[in-house]
Amino acid sequence: MRLAVIGAGAVGRSVVDLAAEYGHEVVAVADSSTAVVADGSDGRNDGVDPEAVVTRKAEAGIVGDDDPADALAADYDVLVEATPTTLDDAEPGFSHVTTALERDRHAVLANKGPVAERFGDLQAAVADSAGEIRFEATVGGAIPAVSTVEDIEPGHVTAVRGVLNGTANFILTRMAAEGLGYDHVLAEAQDLGVAEADPSFDVDGTDAALKCVILANVLSFGAADDPADAREFTLDDASVEGIRDVPGSALRLAAEDGRTVRLIGEATGETVRVAPRLVPENGTLAVSGTQNIVQIETTHAGRLNISGRGAGGPETASAVLGDVGRLE
Amino acid sequence: MRLAVIGAGAVGRSVVDLAAEYGHEVVAVADSSTAVVADGSDGRNDGVDPEAVVTRKAEAGIVGDDDPADALAADYDVLVEATPTTLDDAEPGFSHVTTALERDRHAVLANKGPVAERFGDLQAAVADSAGEIRFEATVGGAIPAVSTVEDIEPGHVTAVRGVLNGTANFILTRMAAEGLGYDHVLAEAQDLGVAEADPSFDVDGTDAALKCVILANVLSFGAADDPADAREFTLDDASVEGIRDVPGSALRLAAEDGRTVRLIGEATGETVRVAPRLVPENGTLAVSGTQNIVQIETTHAGRLNISGRGAGGPETASAVLGDVGRLE
């Protein structure tokens, strides 16, 4: 498939880097202000030079000499939406996706915004298009959460829960392991690049909540006989509590009882909730460090647990490219 | 889809029982000596009465008044092969599958025999047919092992390993937990119905080995540019050691070191090996009781762990019906 990669952050760059290995060709790349297009028009070679693009971005901060609009207008099969997650109207990511669908192309999202905040609008745009959307990369990084739920069929899944944010999990793991306070461990996480300078998206539970909202939409729309009747979820529907107020003492007390604390998100077709919870210390949900785990409750097959790397350029890119493969 | 269910053991009966819930219709059921066919020919109603079939089997030991050949000749979309696993020529299961393919129908297998022992022959039959085969239910019960490897793409998977036999795992778990010997725990497992009267298939590692052989075939054929060049695996290629000779003392010694023993199977595109191994007591591979776990090593996404119920009528039937859904 021919890919237009919109967004040149860690995920976008990894998609550009790995696409050929998955048998796909990148014909356009855009960052927030520039683009490079090589889709065969204008006699230019078919396909960008992945290494050159990534290098230019690293050294010069831009991907090319064209305008981002040129990437959106290029001759591609699949648009990869990898721009930063935005809330509410989820722009500009939402419009990138609808532009592709209006042109009867497919869109694969790593950007959570449109899927969490405007799922109904996306479904409507897909209904009017020959193109499809997929969004495995929006939930759980390398963990095939969305496709596994789709395979089991949302009507046969009663709940999905898990540890969905590696930053928050790393902090809680370190607090428990070392008996250190939140501020100390947050600083350590920032030094390691596991937490951002402004960590609120992760530590306040917003990132985990967006992923749970996406899962709730998948369950709700997937189980509905008529999508028009399905309940749509947005971030506003989620009950969210982060980890800022988890004291070291809570972890010590928990440990005396063979338990620990993890930021657990849970989605059903009815509710979305993120909060720190006590879990058995050596239990399935007590994954360590930046690992994620998704636990799927099914009607006929009991509980399925899938754990793995929840984030990272190559990890998320493999989820994006897996989605591209499913579109073929 | 219209299903012909060949085999009326626990899995076949569960498929008959659950098919309607997944949106499918059972038009024929066969056990080893009888069949019931209701495919709309002869003016008979389209679709068997699932409850009546299961009840008749339970009470009278037969499913109907027709001959099994009638089920194979019925008007179905998908043949579900759920007869007992047989080795070497994998008959009669292998011929049930090729009969379906020769009629340009699909086949979904829960029977490991044809997939483990005659993978190459199956691929050849599929190549000459408009039908496809799927076999999720042959590995790991409810765990979507095969489809996850397919999604990641076999070329991007370096190894698959795990605990793939619930009977052996139950025995080792109980030996470790209670400090009891193998014979005592085996008797307990047989009382509970977790182990069969002749448990050798499970405790000698044969069942786990067949599943690893299937995974090795998926990796080998999936990664090959030309399936004709792919290395084919059979049970004879597997190095297999079971749990009969694991003494209670080994488990006690292991526990002192924070470890335990599990029967681990591993498949790469080159080797298949099953043996008892020391694993960290609270680690990912140390699943308990009859649980299974599949660990997938990937090139770009690190390690994925999927755990859940590895066996059972409804669990395995959900894997079969999931495969039917993928064929649509």
Side-chain angles (χ1 to χ4, degrees), chain A residues 75-202:
Chain A
D75 179 30
Y76 58 82
D77 301 312
V78 182
L79 181 145
V80 173
E81 221 307 321
T83 62
T85 292
T86 55
L87 307 181
D88 301 317
D89 69 4
E91 294 290 10
F94 181 82
S95 287
H96 294 161
V97 173
T98 53
T99 297
L101 291 170
E102 281 156 15
R103 298 179 66 205
D104 285 329
R105 260 80 159 175
H106 303 300
V108 169
L109 293 93
N111 176 355
K112 294 177 277 291
V115 198
E117 299 279 68
R118 299 183 67 178
F119 197 84
D121 289 341
L122 280 183
Q123 297 298 305
V126 168
D128 284 342
S129 170
E132 300 171 43
I133 62 168
R134 299 200 61 83
F135 44 90
E136 183 66 69
T138 62
V139 181
I143 297 174
V146 176
S147 61
T148 303
V149 169
E150 286 180 342
D151 270 352
I152 298 168
E153 283 178 29
H156 294 114
V157 174
T158 53
V160 184
R161 78 180 68 82
V163 169
L164 299 167
N165 182 274
T167 302
N169 201 62
F170 174 90
I171 291 172
L172 290 171
T173 305
R174 296 289 296 148
M175 285 175 69
E178 307 288 338
L180 299 165
Y182 171 81
D183 293 317
H184 183 119
V185 176
L186 171 60
E188 177 189 48
Q190 287 166 326
D191 285 344
L192 289 168
V194 170
E196 312 210 8
D198 176 1
S200 37
F201 206 68
D202 297 316

Side-chain angles (χ1 to χ4, degrees), chain A residues 59-80:
Chain A
E59 297 181 350
I62 61 172
V63 295
D65 304 308
D66 293 316
D67 187 85
D70 298 324
L72 293 172
D75 179 30
Y76 58 82
D77 301 312
V78 182
L79 181 145
V80 173

